[in-house]
Amino acid sequence: MKIVVLVKHVPDATGERSFAADGTVDRTSSDGLLSELDEYAVEQALQIADERDDVEVVAMTLGPDDAADAIKRSLQMGSSAGIHIIDDAVHGSDALATSSLLAEAIKKSAPDLVICGMASTDGTMGVIPAMIAERLGWPAATLGATLSVADDHVTIRRDTDVASLTIEAGLPAIVSVTDQSGEARYPSMKGILAAKKKPVESWTLADLGIDTTAVGLDAACSKVVQTTPRPPKEPGRVITDEDGAGSAALVDFLTAGKYV
Amino acid sequence: MSEVLIVAEQAESHVSKPALELLTLARRLGEPVAVVFGETEETVTKTLAEYGATRVLFIADPAITDYLVAPKAEALAQVAADLDLAAILITSSPEGKEIAGRLAVKLESGLITDATDIAADGTTTQSVFAGNWTVTAAVTRGIPVVTVKPNAATPEAAPSEPAAEQVTVTISDAAKTARIVSSEPKQSSGRPELTEAAVVVSGGRGTGGDFAEIEDLADVLGGAVGASRAAVDAGWYPYAYQIGQTGKTVSPQLYIAAGISGAIQHRAGMQTSKAIVAVNKDAEAPIFALADLGVVGDLHKVLSGAIEEIKKRKG
């Protein structure tokens, strides 16, 4: 069984994130890392590999040079190989172009199962798995809090506000998993050393048969008009609770705001 | 005037508040046409009419309840083909976003998610990077497909007189592949919907697992209860109430964070709240930087004291 895990290299959410002059996410001025939410996807793939003898886990990313770090981390965690889709023309691609590129790459790689995180931590759209499924005509079992795999189908549990759903889909399929699916493992020293010898392929748009004018900022179907940093918040009042002063301050605040 | 398609979520004949917000925003762009997934219901039509729907289309195909997401997107694409649309607006729920993504592919249209506002010319506003940046954007190709966050607008009545229309769609086999084999309803808390509530009281690691005061304060304020990821991971509160990057984003009039340190992942889910109160033992907790009122102290003491006082005043 071949599993492709889609991984994204994102700016560190705990650092200062900002935009470049062209309205795209600034990926150079702050440190990047494998999106935390994709670690859960890698973990689920590795758990399947732990349970079965026939599993190959391929980490696939789309992005500039630095994105190789997302593959590296996936390999260190235990993935068997990497595919880095890299092409200057990709810069500024919207969700439509991104899903189209990834769908072509998945076709070329021909896995039985694709596992994704629930969203990226930078764009946070959470639409790519569904859009890839739409393009490939594959079943999409998305937002799994649990994932189990049989020879010919996958089962997930999807928790909504009103119900807990069990969803079944035949293979090949695309799934996404949430942060409820289970803690991701840390790379072991052995894993870190082994990762250096694992194969990573680079694919360009030409390898995928995609025209460079079909992707990128100019081909995007939406455009950013303006980006504005949120003004810093005026410091509020901070008091230390002593002899009920905290409760009194809270009640005063609630009364002043007409919440009670 | 062009039409604007909105997807009106409803449950047991009750139209969701975000659906009314979509109608209010849609009226800026054109004549709102509401799609409801389910059997025709007069009460649903009546509510949507009151808030300005010029047409109400009911789609009740069994595939919609038997399979995940894909049939809804297919049905909407078929409805969209017969209309002259200025935009399609869908509520930013996990399902809403997936429907929107699929529709954008089908219609070859630009997609914008998590809008917090939309202007008459279609320009959207989004709050990004954990609420630290505001982005305005516009769709430049196709029918704009936009998902809108709950609380983006205040529903405004605009009575019209649409007739309920039943629409028949054809769902392909390709859309019937992710089968819902079982559905276990969750018990309702009886409190307001988290993303719609005017007041949210949230508990974190500092509760030590005891949410009694959090729930009591929420109840005296008529608010909803939320939880930080640390509290959910510890098994103290269900995932459905998690606020933050991987849970719900809330933007209430008042957010009370009790025993929550305020990691960036949590702030992503509540930073745009109008007023913020923080109660935490650790004076260095980053949540205090966001707070209009911060109380350094034991949350159980501070909250129970406040609840007692409020109850006393209420008599």
Side-chain angles (χ1 to χ4, degrees):
Chain A
M1 176 178 286
K2 184 175 186 178
I3 301 174
V4 162
V5 186
L6 296 183
V7 294
K8 189 177 183 187
H9 189 254
V10 297
D12 188 347
T14 59
E16 289 287 320
R17 293 180 291 182
S18 62
F19 289 94
D22 63 1
T24 62
V25 173
D26 185 346
R27 300 188 185 281
T28 52
S29 70
S30 65
D31 283 342
L33 74 179
L34 169 62
S35 175
E36 182 204 338
L37 298 177
D38 293 343
E39 289 190 6
Y40 296 97
V42 175
E43 176 61 33
Q44 287 303 308
L46 296 177
Q47 284 189 16
I48 296 164
D50 290 344
E51 282 162 24
R52 305 169 61 107
D53 323 320
D54 62 340
V55 177
E56 183 197 5
V57 177
V58 180
M60 180 184 281
T61 197
L62 168 65
D65 289 336
D66 284 355
D69 281 354
I71 290 184
K72 190 169 141 193
R73 174 83 180 188
S74 311
L75 296 176
Q76 290 174 343
M77 286 173 72
S79 302
S80 14
I83 296 170
H84 186 173
I85 307 157
I86 180 163
D87 199 307
D88 289 344
V90 171
H91 175 81
S93 292
D94 62 1
L96 285 140
T98 301
S99 62
S100 156
L101 277 160
L102 291 171
E104 287 307 314
I106 288 164
K107 259 193 243 171
K108 185 173 156 76
S109 173
D112 303 285
L113 177 64
V114 176
I115 306 182
C116 312
M118 63 190 292
S120 64
T121 56
D122 54 352
T124 68
M125 292 178 82
V127 294
I128 293 294
M131 291 173 85
I132 292 171
E134 181 69 37
R135 292 187 185 280
L136 293 174
W138 285 14
T142 43
L143 300 177
T146 63
L147 165 65
S148 61
V149 176
D151 285 333
D152 62 347
H153 71 275
V154 289
T155 308
I156 65 155
R157 192 188 85 226
R158 172 163 163 142
D159 293 327
T160 74
D161 286 348
V162 292
S164 190
L165 309 176
T166 304
I167 292 155
E168 236 175 60
L171 297 178
I174 184 161
V175 306
S176 70
V177 292
T178 72
D179 59 338
Q180 297 296 296
S181 59
E183 272 308 301
R185 66 194 67 185
Y186 280 102
S188 62
M189 192 45 78
K190 202 175 137 207
I192 291 169
L193 292 172
K196 292 178 180 164
K197 298 195 188 93
K198 290 175 178 172
V200 178
E201 288 181 39
S202 281
W203 291 358
T204 62
L205 291 183
D207 294 325
L208 299 175
I210 292 175
D211 192 335
T212 53
T213 60
V215 301
L217 197 54
D218 290 343
C221 300
S222 53
K223 65 165 195 279
V224 168
V225 179
Q226 200 173 32
T227 59
T228 322
R230 190 180 165 85
K233 189 162 176 140
E234 292 286 317
R237 192 162 76 96
V238 179
I239 64 148
T240 302
D241 181 40
E242 256 175 314
D243 301 329
S247 303
L250 178 53
V251 173
D252 287 348
F253 185 90
L254 295 173
T255 312
K258 298 195 166 58
Y259 299 109
V260 286
Chain B
M1 203 179 187
S2 312
E3 293 156 311
V4 179
L5 195 65
I6 73 130
V7 179
E9 288 182 20
Q10 56 100 25
E12 290 160 8
S13 315
H14 175 76
V15 178
S16 79
K17 182 166 162 274
L20 306 181
E21 294 162 12
L22 291 184
L23 283 174
T24 303
L25 293 173
R27 284 195 287 115
R28 297 177 185 170
L29 307 167
E31 293 180 350
V33 175
V35 168
V36 181
F37 290 110
E39 298 290 343
T40 305
E41 290 231 30
E42 205 181 322
T43 51
V44 170
T45 309
K46 227 177 118 186
T47 309
L48 294 171
E50 198 185 325
Y51 286 86
T54 54
R55 293 175 68 189
V56 181
L57 315 178
F58 287 90
I59 302 175
D61 191 291
I64 282 161
T65 45
D66 291 350
Y67 298 89
L68 197 62
V69 180
K72 288 185 179 172
E74 207 167 84
L76 289 171
Q78 286 170 29
V79 169
D82 293 332
L83 299 169
D84 171 28
L85 288 175
I88 300 173
L89 307 184
I90 302 172
T91 301
S92 266
S93 60
E95 182 181 80
K97 294 213 275 189
E98 290 189 295
I99 293 171
R102 285 177 177 271
L103 258 183
V105 170
K106 285 177 193 290
L107 304 174
E108 296 182 21
S109 289
L111 168 69
I112 289 174
T113 55
D114 295 329
T116 55
D117 197 10
I118 182 162
D121 68 353
T123 304
T124 58
T125 305
Q126 293 160 287
S127 175
V128 305
F129 290 158
N132 285 327
W133 285 75
T134 303
V135 170
T136 52
V139 166
T140 50
R141 199 175 88 187
I143 303 163
V145 180
V146 180
T147 75
V148 180
K149 288 222 152 202
N151 278 329
T154 306
E156 289 163 19
S160 68
E161 285 174 1
E165 303 168 50
Q166 255 176 319
V167 178
T168 311
V169 292
T170 315
I171 305 300
S172 69
D173 286 345
K176 296 188 227 174
T177 52
R179 198 162 62 88
I180 301 170
V181 292
S182 76
S183 172
E184 276 182 49
K186 283 187 185 159
Q187 238 178 353
S188 163
S189 69
R191 297 192 179 91
E193 187 65 42
L194 190 50
T195 52
E196 300 170 16
V199 177
V200 175
V201 186
S202 276
R205 200 188 300 275
T207 61
D210 179 3
F211 268 64
E213 289 96 355
I214 307 284
E215 292 183 335
D216 283 352
L217 184 59
D219 289 343
V220 297
L221 299 173
V225 172
S228 73
R229 180 164 166 196
V232 172
D233 280 356
W236 298 339
Y237 228 71
Y239 175 61
Y241 299 91
Q242 183 175 314
I243 288 169
Q245 181 184 261
T246 56
K248 300 273 160 53
T249 308
V250 299
S251 196
Q253 294 299 321
L254 173 65
Y255 186 85
I256 302 177
I260 293 175
S261 66
I264 183 82
Q265 288 84 352
H266 186 75
R267 299 208 300 271
M270 48 65 75
Q271 185 139 287
T272 56
S273 303
K274 309 291 176 295
I276 296 169
V277 172
V279 184
N280 203 304
K281 259 200 260 192
D282 175 12
E284 303 298 317
I287 192 79
F288 285 122
L290 293 181
D292 298 285
L293 172 68
V295 178
V296 181
D298 178 78
L299 73 93
H300 298 291
K301 253 196 233 164
V302 174
L303 263 48
S304 59
I307 293 161
E308 206 177 303
E309 179 63 26
I310 294 166
K311 282 186 177 163
K312 209 183 330 173
R313 287 192 195 182
K314 278 187 176 172

